[in-house]
Amino acid sequence: MSAIPDSGFEQPQKKTTRFRQLLDSGELEFLLEAHNGITAKIGEEAGFKGLWAGGLCMSAQYGVRDSNEASWTQVLEMLEFMADATSVPILLDGDTGYGNFNNVRRLVRKLEQRGIAAVCIEDKLYPKTNSFIDGNKQQLAEIDEFCSRIKAGKDAQADDEFAIITRVEAFIAGWGLGEALKRAEAYHAAGSDGILIHSALNTPAEVLAFKQEWADRSPVLIVPTKYYATPTEVLREAGFSIAIWANHMLRAAITTMQECAETLAREQNLRSIEDRVASVKEIFRLQGASELQAAEERYLPKDTPAQAIILAASRGAALGTLTDERPKTMVEVRGQPLLGHIVTAYNASGIKDITVVRGYRPEAVNLPALKYVDNPDFADTSELLSLDCALKTAAEGEAHGDLYISFGDVIFKRYILDGLAELAADFVIAVDTDWSESVNRGRAADYVRCSEPYSRHTFYREVNLEAAGEKLGDDEIHGEWMGVLRVSASGLALFTALVGELAAQPENRCGKLHQVLDELVRRGQTVRVVYTTGHWLDVDSLDDVLAAGSFA
Ligand code: SPV
Ligand code: MG
């Protein structure tokens, strides 16, 4: 077993350790408010070394009030996304701890499980009210009772470095410095790791007075929302540990979202907004979409989708005036050209990449979502050269999956494709056991001789092609190839080369596809046979068009 080489770098620290370092750095540090995964990520990218999951903004993003209307588990759910999206520590604004000592114990355990570095609890009663709403009316917790929440929380933490910050609301409730200091002292003695001293004044007078008296008994955190005009230098010189920008991500978003919504409502078009909003690409970047693409490369089986080639160059003169203006493949049966029926069968089997070889009246072959290759010599060439055209064009494209080949005048039920797909062989053909019907009608057909005739045993035995062509004697015929062939991705290079070779021979200018099958067998390749009965139709005559109507 090879050891992991020493990278020379320090191991990444735990988030709890990193939060402790911020608390004790001796410098003024900053936390940015975040209220979901993407705001947390944006905050980290901007360089913040820690984040404040604020109660006000977490509730607001749910569209509810900062009065414990969102349950603590709903907060916890969101915190998990935030912690997953970032590597910096998160301090949760845990309101009052959502109850008494017992709720705080459980909260601390759950936060540790979700990768949250620290929690701040405030000395008020559940359900709390935001400090900036009628602060004077707010009731503070009994000191002893609040200390029981702190002690229980500290006893519950499994990681020694998890921090519990205690928030003193004495100034908010109008009790003054004496009460604030008394409370801070009690909380410190109960095990608090730092004091958040809050004030609703528009000057820092209260928090500065507190800090001066408290000195360095423990780190002091502040939320300068109301005294925002205070120069940061003043806060730094006073020796605060952490300043929290507690609601600015949400406030920034609200302003931009209101402008965007109003503009779109008014203008009813996107033009004037486009340059003022982040690109969709930027959303993908923040979500880490490229990492998923790379992972898909690593983990997913490489599954190149199957393709199909439909040979549809010939006119079909036997259909008379029906094919004056269009080739046979575009003759309509039940309101849809034959080609449409064929494409529907392919699509139903999940095959969307379909190339049609056109010849006669190519402009009339124009169904959407298909690729087209034209055989300009269609009038005096045949299937083999049309297929060669298509394979040469396809070879210029991207990686190939399995290839299905069929004719523009042969419609079939979709299950026939599925039968071909099931066999793990390079070359597979569908053979109709009900071949005598075509003999009786005296039409040309691609008869085949196989390694054994159809029987109930061929369900589980491997049947291979032995010979294909119109010249087989009646006693040799085991069925009629319906013109549907599957070439696997691994057989495609050999197949393409063989078709090219045969097509290049002048005597094969009017060559047929069954010649390729014959040649594959002659060269020792295995061509597997799937026996089926009926469920396809070769449209050669006006009678066939009528029959196709009931088939489709
Ligand atoms: C919060 O951000 O939720 C806070 C700070 O608790 S304040 O809104 O100022 O109370
Ligand atoms: Mg709050």
Side-chain angles (χ1 to χ4, degrees):
M1 208 177 82
S2 68
I4 298 170
D6 185 355
S7 65
F9 293 108
E10 279 176 41
Q11 288 298 307
Q13 285 160 326
K14 292 183 299 182
K15 289 181 177 180
T16 49
T17 311
R18 292 166 68 177
F19 183 76
R20 288 276 175 171
Q21 285 171 350
L22 293 180
L23 209 53
D24 299 328
S25 75
E27 302 286 324
L28 178 62
E29 305 283 358
F30 302 93
L31 299 186
L32 179 71
E33 172 263 314
H35 49 268
N36 56 27
I38 202 161
T39 51
K41 177 114 189 209
I42 290 171
E44 176 171 11
E45 283 191 348
F48 280 90
K49 292 187 266 180
L51 299 167
W52 165 253
L56 171 64
C57 296
M58 300 270 277
S59 9
Q61 63 82 38
Y62 279 123
V64 297
R65 287 166 288 225
D66 187 14
S67 305
N68 296 117
E69 289 184 346
S71 73
W72 74 276
T73 52
Q74 287 169 327
V75 171
L76 197 64
E77 284 289 298
M78 186 58 87
L79 286 170
E80 183 170 3
F81 284 104
M82 294 165 65
D84 285 348
T86 50
S87 64
V88 293
I90 296 172
L91 168 62
L92 168 67
D93 170 9
D95 294 340
T96 58
Y98 312 112
N100 70 1
F101 79 94
N102 190 39
N103 303 89
V104 174
R105 293 197 296 187
R106 193 162 163 73
L107 174 66
V108 167
R109 283 198 293 267
K110 291 291 142 189
L111 292 177
E112 287 193 304
Q113 288 167 7
R114 309 273 172 133
I116 302 303
V119 64
C120 174
I121 54 173
E122 64 198 58
D123 52 0
K124 292 199 302 216
L125 302 178
Y126 180 90
K128 54 72 62 85
T129 306
N130 184 276
S131 303
F132 298 145
I133 299 175
D134 288 338
N136 264 316
K137 291 189 194 152
Q138 299 201 16
Q139 199 191 341
L140 298 188
E142 293 293 334
I143 293 180
D144 287 347
E145 187 276 320
F146 190 68
C147 286
S148 76
R149 294 186 225 168
I150 302 169
K151 286 183 193 144
K154 291 305 292 175
D155 286 345
Q157 69 187 58
D159 175 349
D160 283 349
E161 298 196 280
F162 183 88
I164 298 185
I165 306 299
T166 49
R167 168 163 157 181
V168 174
E169 290 279 281
F171 288 136
I172 296 293
W175 292 103
L177 182 60
E179 181 72 14
L181 287 166
K182 183 171 89 182
R183 285 176 171 266
E185 195 58 74
Y187 306 161
H188 184 51
S192 148
D193 296 301
I195 302 293
L196 190 157
I197 186 72
H198 204 16
S199 169
L201 298 188
N202 57 12
T203 75
E206 287 176 334
V207 297
L208 288 175
F210 176 86
K211 179 68 178 89
Q212 194 165 13
E213 289 299 323
W214 184 255
D216 293 322
R217 271 174 272 183
S218 72
V220 180
L221 297 78
I222 47 173
V223 180
T225 305
K226 292 284 179 181
Y227 45 97
Y228 64 87
T230 310
T232 298
E233 227 21 67
V234 172
L235 307 175
R236 188 172 277 126
E237 270 162 27
F240 290 114
S241 162
I242 292 179
I244 300 171
W245 311 135
N247 41 49
H248 301 81
M249 292 294 271
L250 182 66
R251 286 165 64 190
I254 287 174
T255 305
T256 309
M257 289 193 285
Q258 284 169 334
E259 276 171 21
C260 176
E262 284 159 18
T263 306
L264 289 177
R266 193 174 55 244
E267 300 189 0
Q268 300 190 344
N269 77 65
L270 296 170
R271 267 197 310 271
S272 59
I273 279 294
E274 186 61 25
D275 293 343
R276 290 155 51 193
V277 295
S279 64
V280 173
K281 225 165 121 190
E282 175 62 0
I283 303 178
F284 293 154
R285 189 192 67 77
L286 285 163
Q287 289 170 310
S290 58
E291 190 281 336
L292 177 55
Q293 282 172 324
E296 282 172 352
E297 278 295 308
R298 264 197 321 279
Y299 297 119
L300 290 182
K302 307 253 176 310
D303 203 17
T304 320
Q307 297 173 298
I309 292 175
I310 301 173
L311 304 172
S314 66
R315 171 180 172 178
L319 298 190
T321 53
L322 270 185
T323 57
D324 277 351
E325 304 293 335
R326 59 202 159 169
K328 189 163 45 165
T329 198
M330 292 305 284
V331 168
E332 288 204 357
V333 167
R334 290 228 178 161
Q336 201 186 182
L338 291 176
L339 184 58
H341 292 286
I342 299 166
V343 167
T344 301
Y346 276 121
N347 288 171
S349 280
I351 300 164
K352 286 188 288 187
D353 185 345
I354 301 171
T355 301
V356 179
V357 184
R358 302 184 295 195
Y360 180 73
R361 294 280 171 136
E363 72 289 348
V365 186
N366 55 5
L367 298 189
L370 301 176
K371 293 181 195 162
Y372 293 103
V373 170
D374 292 341
N375 173 7
D377 302 325
F378 73 94
D380 64 342
T381 64
S382 187
E383 302 155 16
L384 185 62
L385 271 83
S386 284
L387 178 61
D388 190 43
C389 281
L391 289 173
K392 287 207 165 96
T393 310
E396 294 158 9
E398 302 146 16
H400 287 283
D402 288 359
L403 173 69
Y404 290 78
I405 300 167
S406 66
F407 293 103
D409 57 356
V410 173
I411 56 178
F412 48 83
K413 296 282 189 199
R414 161 237 162 120
Y415 86 87
I416 288 173
L417 296 174
D418 298 341
L420 296 180
E422 275 166 18
L423 287 192
D426 279 346
F427 311 103
V428 191
I429 59 174
V431 169
D432 187 5
T433 56
D434 195 11
W435 56 276
S436 51
E437 192 249 359
S438 63
V439 171
N440 294 338
R441 287 175 50 222
R443 68 176 173 85
D446 288 326
Y447 297 118
V448 294
R449 189 180 76 230
C450 305
S451 52
E452 64 176 289
Y454 169 74
S455 74
R456 70 174 63 151
H457 305 296
T458 54
F459 174 70
Y460 54 83
R461 283 212 288 255
E462 182 176 320
V463 181
N464 297 325
L465 177 72
E466 288 187 353
E470 289 155 29
K471 296 196 186 73
L472 292 174
D474 279 8
D475 54 345
E476 311 179 71
I477 296 175
H478 294 138
E480 178 180 354
W481 175 45
M482 56 185 77
V484 188
L485 157 71
R486 191 191 114 236
V487 180
S488 76
S490 55
L492 195 57
L494 184 148
F495 184 81
T496 304
L498 177 60
V499 171
E501 181 188 325
L502 294 177
Q505 293 163 14
E507 69 273 22
N508 284 337
R509 208 165 153 71
C510 288
K512 300 281 196 175
L513 212 47
H514 66 71
Q515 284 177 245
V516 184
L517 299 182
D518 245 356
E519 193 58 26
L520 280 169
V521 173
R522 230 179 48 78
R523 295 188 185 192
Q525 295 296 323
T526 300
V527 177
R528 291 284 301 272
V529 167
V530 176
Y531 278 130
T532 68
T533 303
H535 291 158
W536 69 289
L537 198 69
D538 183 0
V539 179
D540 286 330
S541 64
L542 284 169
D543 279 353
D544 293 335
V545 175
L546 289 177
S550 31
F551 177 84

